[in-house]
Amino acid sequence: MFTFVLSVVAAILAFFLTDNYMYFFIITIGLYYLFRKESKAETFTALNLILISAIALFGKFRSYSQDGLNFVIYGAFLSVVYDIFKKWYYVIPMFFLTGIGISLISSIKFGKVGYFFGLILIPVVLREYSLQKKLSSENKTFSGGEEK
């Protein structure tokens, strides 16, 4: 329910920033997660939706990159792919597009150095990989409820 509310807020704020009705498709992400319960990808999507809302809200007062906003939205849509397949490597396109969006947005304020801010998502991808690796090793250790 929380992701659905965030998607509605992000869609409305993005619409008021750009005057483009296409941003109302963000609500479909919220509808998808409304029917899914307790998904790990939902937390990543909620963070993307908060980022979209912040870009749209502060974009009215400061300069913003519409390309950066679009890349963050594409990353939010790719979280559905990660939720469906539940493999760690499906999170890479989502964070890659979100990182590009962050880089484009921060390059307006900080110039060429701002492009490196998108690299901040690399530790998140590595953590997701380590969690999935630990989970798969636990599944191999315990087979059929008995230790090998």
Side-chain angles (χ1 to χ4, degrees):
M1 182 68 175
F2 180 69
T3 307
F4 177 70
V5 172
L6 277 177
S7 68
V8 170
V9 169
I12 291 171
L13 288 174
F15 168 73
F16 281 125
L17 177 68
T18 61
D19 294 328
N20 189 348
Y21 291 103
M22 295 299 287
Y23 289 106
F24 283 110
F25 279 113
I26 298 172
I27 296 174
T28 59
I29 299 172
L31 285 173
Y32 173 78
Y33 285 112
L34 186 64
F35 298 112
R36 301 283 295 185
K37 299 295 179 196
E38 300 299 319
S39 174
K40 183 185 234 182
E42 186 176 4
T43 58
F44 294 140
T45 306
L47 292 174
N48 268 2
L49 292 173
I50 290 171
L51 183 61
I52 292 166
S53 299
I55 293 167
L57 183 65
F58 294 125
K60 280 292 193 187
F61 309 114
R62 297 175 178 230
S63 59
Y64 74 100
S65 168
Q66 184 158 358
D67 291 335
L69 176 67
N70 288 338
F71 275 109
V72 174
I73 290 171
Y74 301 151
F77 275 108
L78 282 178
S79 70
V80 174
V81 174
Y82 173 63
D83 185 53
I84 291 171
F85 293 112
K86 304 227 187 301
K87 299 286 186 191
W88 73 271
Y89 43 83
Y90 286 108
V91 80
I92 293 173
M94 179 182 77
F95 283 130
F96 182 71
L97 291 175
T98 304
I100 290 173
I102 291 171
S103 296
L104 289 172
I105 292 163
S106 60
S107 68
I108 292 174
K109 173 88 174 159
F110 299 108
K112 292 189 184 221
V113 176
Y115 286 115
F116 293 110
F117 284 137
L119 298 176
I120 200 166
L121 295 175
I122 290 175
V124 178
V125 173
L126 294 176
R127 173 149 168 68
E128 184 63 25
Y129 168 70
S130 67
L131 289 175
Q132 290 287 333
K133 189 175 179 182
K134 186 191 315 182
L135 185 65
S136 68
S137 68
E138 287 176 1
N139 287 342
K140 288 179 184 176
T141 305
F142 299 102
S143 67
E146 298 174 8
E147 286 189 34
K148 285 187 173 180

